[in-house]
Amino acid sequence: MSSGVLSRYLDYEFLRQLSGRSLEPRGLVSGNLAGSHKSPASGFAVEFSGHREYVPGDDPKHIDWRVFFTRDKYFIKQYEMETNFVCHLMLDISKSMRYGDDGSQKMLFGSRLAVSLAHSIVRQGDKVSFTTFDTQIRGHIPASNALPQIIRMSQHLDETAAEDKTDLHACLSEFSQRMARREIVMIFSDFFGDLTKLEYAIQRIRFNKHDVVLVQVIHDHELNFNLDGMTRFIGLEVDAQQIAQPADIRKSYLQAIGRFNSELVDIATRNNCDHLLACTKDNPGAIFWEYLNQRSLQNRRI
C-alpha cells in the first residue's frame, strides 16, 4: 500500500492534538492481555482490592499476617488486575455519507476520525476492530493492537464506496451478536434513519453492558443550512430531487434538523450512551480532545 493512501486517512495533526490523552473504558473491563485498565477478575498484582478467606492450595505468601494476628484466621490479600480493552469502530458508508466535497465529505471525514482514533488506541496498548456497514455489514477487520491494523483499515477504506442506503438497526443488531464481553462500540454515522429502531439496537448492545458512543458525523450545510441562491436538492438515498430557494425553507429545515438532533441526544441520554457531534467544518482533534477529557473526568467520579 502506498504512503499516500495511509496519509489520506491518518490525520497527523489529530494525533498531535490527542498526544497525552487516552480513551478509557467505563468501569471494569475484561481482556486477554496485560494493560492499563481494571479488570473484573482478581489476581495477585497491581492494586489492593480486599480479602478472602484462605483455602488449602493458596500460596501462603499472599496471607495477610496482620489480619491473622487480630482475627486468628487466615485471609488472602486480593488485588485488581489490569488488562486491555477492545474498541469496535463502526463506520456508516451509506450514500448519505457521500455528501460534501473533498475533506468535508462526511464519509472521508468519518474515515479520518476512525483511523486516527484507532491509531491512538493501538498506541496505548489496546485493541481495535473496524467495521463498515450500510444496509448490511460490508467489511470487518478483527480486533488487533498491532500498528499494521491502521494499514489494514486504510486499505479497506480505499477500496470502499458509498453505494446503498442505511439500516442501522439491522447492522447493529447483527454486530451485537459478535461481542461477548464488556467492550466499547463507537458508531460513526449521520444517523439519518428510523431513530426508534436505532434505539432498540442500542438497547440490545447496552443490555450486555457494552459502552456505546454515538459519533454523529454531519456536514455544516446539514447542520446550519448555510446555502444561498436557487439550489437543486438531490436525494442521495431516495430517487427524488427538488429545486428551491434555501431562504424559503431554511426556518422549517432548521426546526426539523433541530428536532432530529434533540431526539438523538435524548436516545443517548436514556440509554447511558455518549453522543458526540462531529461537524465537518470543525477541528477533529479538538472535538476528540474535549470529549476524551470529559470522559476521563467522568471516569474519576464513577
Side-chain angles (χ1 to χ4, degrees):
M1 184 184 71
S2 69
S3 59
V5 173
L6 186 61
S7 63
R8 175 174 169 80
Y9 299 107
L10 191 59
D11 187 333
Y12 296 99
E13 178 61 18
F14 179 103
L15 298 178
R16 186 193 67 78
Q17 289 179 289
L18 259 62
S19 178
R21 297 241 60 90
S22 62
L23 178 65
E24 301 174 5
R26 292 218 168 95
L28 303 180
V29 298
S30 298
N32 55 13
L33 297 172
S36 59
H37 315 290
K38 286 185 173 59
S39 166
S42 292
F44 294 114
V46 186
E47 184 176 338
F48 177 74
S49 64
H51 293 91
R52 67 169 173 80
E53 197 166 340
Y54 173 86
V55 294
D58 285 334
D59 191 334
K61 72 179 181 180
H62 298 299
I63 293 175
D64 191 328
W65 294 106
R66 290 187 177 182
V67 175
F68 170 75
F69 289 129
T70 58
R71 301 186 59 180
D72 199 28
K73 290 185 71 174
Y74 295 115
F75 285 87
I76 295 292
K77 291 185 286 187
Q78 287 193 298
Y79 300 81
E80 289 179 331
M81 297 172 64
E82 291 188 344
T83 185
N84 68 310
F85 71 80
V86 178
C87 182
H88 301 286
L89 305 179
M90 301 186 69
L91 176 67
D92 180 354
I93 59 167
S94 62
K95 285 184 177 180
S96 67
M97 294 291 285
R98 217 169 56 188
Y99 186 80
D101 298 319
D102 302 323
S104 70
Q105 187 203 54
K106 291 193 294 183
M107 184 170 159
L108 179 57
F109 189 81
S111 298
R112 287 174 174 169
L113 287 177
V115 172
S116 301
L117 186 62
H119 186 280
S120 181
I121 293 170
V122 167
R123 287 297 298 269
Q124 71 187 44
D126 295 303
K127 288 185 174 184
V128 63
S129 80
F130 185 57
T131 301
T132 52
F133 68 92
D134 45 40
T135 55
Q136 59 185 293
I137 291 176
R138 297 294 181 181
H140 176 69
I141 300 174
S144 171
N145 66 342
L147 280 174
Q149 185 78 336
I150 310 307
I151 297 175
R152 288 189 284 267
M153 289 175 62
S154 299
Q155 191 161 15
H156 172 62
L157 285 166
D158 206 50
E159 299 167 352
T160 298
E163 297 178 349
D164 216 328
K165 298 181 180 181
T166 316
D167 192 338
L168 281 159
H169 174 262
C171 295
L172 294 181
S173 296
E174 178 186 343
F175 190 81
S176 68
Q177 300 175 28
R178 305 184 182 191
M179 299 183 293
R181 53 192 176 88
R182 290 194 220 178
E183 295 164 346
I184 300 176
V185 183
M186 300 188 74
I187 307 159
F188 297 79
S189 173
D190 52 24
F191 297 100
F192 292 153
D194 190 327
L195 291 183
T196 300
K197 288 185 177 180
L198 170 65
E199 184 166 18
Y200 291 151
I202 290 173
Q203 288 172 343
R204 183 169 183 173
I205 297 173
R206 290 289 298 135
F207 179 79
N208 291 318
K209 309 298 184 184
H210 299 299
D211 192 353
V212 178
V213 183
L214 307 180
V215 183
Q216 185 183 6
V217 180
I218 191 164
H219 195 280
D220 184 39
H221 292 168
E222 296 171 324
L223 187 62
N224 298 306
F225 206 67
N226 47 353
L227 301 170
D228 293 309
M230 195 63 71
T231 304
R232 183 187 299 272
F233 296 90
I234 301 173
L236 294 176
E237 296 189 5
V238 294
D239 186 18
Q241 55 183 285
Q242 180 71 46
I243 297 177
Q245 178 63 253
D248 295 338
I249 60 175
R250 179 173 287 115
K251 182 178 179 180
S252 297
Y253 173 85
L254 291 176
Q255 289 174 342
I257 194 67
R259 287 192 298 269
F260 177 86
N261 289 343
S262 293
E263 186 175 352
L264 183 61
V265 171
D266 288 344
I267 287 172
T269 302
R270 283 197 299 269
N271 294 281
N272 198 25
C273 303
D274 287 343
H275 170 265
L276 182 60
L277 184 68
C279 181
T280 57
K281 77 176 181 63
D282 293 335
N283 183 318
I287 293 171
F288 268 90
W289 190 94
E290 179 64 25
Y291 169 66
L292 294 178
N293 187 51
Q294 291 180 359
R295 186 180 175 97
S296 179
L297 292 173
Q298 290 170 355
N299 283 350
R300 293 193 186 111
R301 292 195 288 265
I302 293 178

